[in-house]
Amino acid sequence: MSRVSLEGRVAVVTGAARGVGELLARKLSARGVKVALVGLEPDALKQVSGRLHSDSDHWHADVTDHEAMARVAREVKERFGRVDIVVANAGVATGGPFTDSDPESWRRVIEVNLIGSAVTARAFLPSLLRSRGYLLQIASLAAITPAPMMTAYCASKSGVEAYAHSLRAEVGHRGVKVGVGYLSWTDTDMVRGADQDDVMRELRQRLPWPSSKTYPLGPAVDRLVAGIERRSSHVYGQWWLRGMQGVRGYLPAVIGTVGQREMRRFADRLTGMRTGLVGAGGAADEQQRATLRD
């Protein structure tokens, strides 16, 4: 599929304060894209915006808040005149045994990753319909294969994958393309945060190659940018993820068997695992909700 020039286009990136969202904003900006940054950390977003090459601005908003995201959509339209690209990237994660999981944190993963993606699309689809634009939904290897100790994250990413496929069928005839971006373990604050727990780190390292590796962020984001340029239906941050699609029907049984063996191995170390959101992004989300409660 041929690439289209991104020069002069307007892109919205959620979860843009760090990690995938921050680097994606920088790489899009380097191609002449005007970028609207959305996230929960206004100071960090302001710093990211200040480092971009092209015109940009930032908005503080929780992607699960319908009214806030509708306001952002209006203000982005007023600021830039149009929206051509939306990347629903905002996400959080938690790990550990489901039976010991914190119900609030578990629910929050679903709210941010799945509901927040839908809220983002709902807010910006009117603009994308006018521009015949492109929506990239960031999913994960977790959408392709289940994994123990990641029930909320796997459920949320499987959900956004199915939701995005459904949405593609609804809006394609109106000129809007919808893509799903798949990433394996990539060097971000979220993955580093998960690795702070010894059990989670060791369990991940025992996964079969190549899913046991942590991959550099730069090449993965380059693949996302290429997918945006091609308005691709499927974008793979690591080359081997494409091949996983052909065998995904067998993976639940394989993971079920291997996972039981590994859980028995770690059984005596599961008590007392941290149950909250992981990484700096998770901390920002928890701080935001604590502020709202006060």
Side-chain angles (χ1 to χ4, degrees):
M1 186 181 299
S2 61
R3 301 188 183 192
V4 298
S5 173
L6 299 180
E7 181 76 30
R9 305 293 176 92
V10 176
V12 177
V13 181
T14 67
R18 63 185 72 254
V20 172
E22 186 265 344
L23 185 55
L24 180 60
R26 285 168 46 198
K27 288 182 178 289
L28 290 174
S29 177
R31 286 162 171 77
V33 178
K34 303 172 184 178
V35 185
L37 310 166
V38 183
L40 290 179
E41 301 168 82
D43 292 340
L45 291 170
K46 183 178 180 180
Q47 292 177 8
V48 174
S49 181
R51 293 195 294 266
L52 299 186
H53 299 278
S54 58
D55 191 11
S56 67
D57 210 335
H58 63 282
W59 280 263
H60 173 248
D62 182 337
V63 295
T64 68
D65 186 329
H66 289 272
E67 293 183 1
M69 291 302 289
R71 170 186 56 80
V72 171
R74 289 193 302 269
E75 293 178 1
V76 170
K77 177 69 164 49
E78 292 169 1
R79 172 71 169 78
F80 295 109
R82 59 185 292 132
V83 175
D84 303 287
I85 301 158
V86 174
V87 183
N89 166 72
V92 293
T94 187
F98 175 73
T99 52
D100 299 326
S101 62
D102 172 49
E104 184 176 354
S105 296
W106 202 99
R107 178 186 291 271
R108 186 60 180 170
V109 173
I110 304 297
E111 289 175 346
V112 174
N113 298 3
L114 176 54
I115 306 302
S117 294
V119 171
T120 298
R122 190 181 301 277
F124 286 100
L125 265 174
S127 290
L128 291 178
L129 288 167
R130 284 191 289 270
S131 66
R132 299 174 70 86
Y134 178 69
L135 170 66
L136 179 61
Q137 172 62 59
I138 301 299
S140 169
L141 170 63
I144 298 174
T145 180
M149 312 275 276
M150 295 177 57
T151 53
Y153 194 74
C154 289
S156 70
K157 291 302 184 179
S158 295
V160 296
E161 180 193 42
Y163 143 77
H165 289 333
S166 296
L167 185 62
R168 179 188 305 125
E170 289 187 26
V171 300
H173 72 287
R174 302 180 67 181
V176 176
K177 301 293 185 182
V178 177
V180 180
Y182 299 89
L183 296 170
S184 183
W185 304 94
T186 305
D187 188 19
T188 63
D189 287 322
M190 181 187 293
V191 171
R192 289 192 293 271
D195 277 353
Q196 289 179 3
D197 186 278
D198 292 341
V199 173
M200 291 297 293
R201 183 179 64 254
E202 291 177 33
L203 186 62
R204 184 166 70 84
Q205 290 172 346
R206 293 182 63 82
L207 293 171
W209 183 89
S211 60
S212 58
K213 291 180 57 179
T214 297
Y215 292 86
L217 182 60
V221 174
D222 285 338
R223 287 174 173 265
L224 295 181
V225 173
I228 293 171
E229 290 174 328
R230 295 187 175 99
R231 293 162 57 90
S232 300
S233 296
H234 300 80
V235 185
Y236 299 98
Q238 287 80 29
W239 61 270
W240 54 271
L241 288 171
R242 183 187 300 271
M244 297 290 286
Q245 295 284 22
V247 299
R248 64 186 297 172
Y250 301 97
L251 296 177
V254 172
I255 296 298
T257 300
V258 175
Q260 289 181 57
R261 182 192 69 203
E262 296 301 322
M263 292 303 291
R264 280 194 293 270
R265 182 191 302 273
F266 289 102
D268 60 348
R269 299 171 57 188
L270 299 180
T271 303
M273 288 185 64
R274 186 182 184 277
T275 58
L277 302 180
V278 301
D285 188 273
E286 290 179 339
Q287 182 178 359
Q288 167 84 2
R289 286 182 290 134
T291 300
L292 293 175
R293 286 193 295 265
D294 292 343

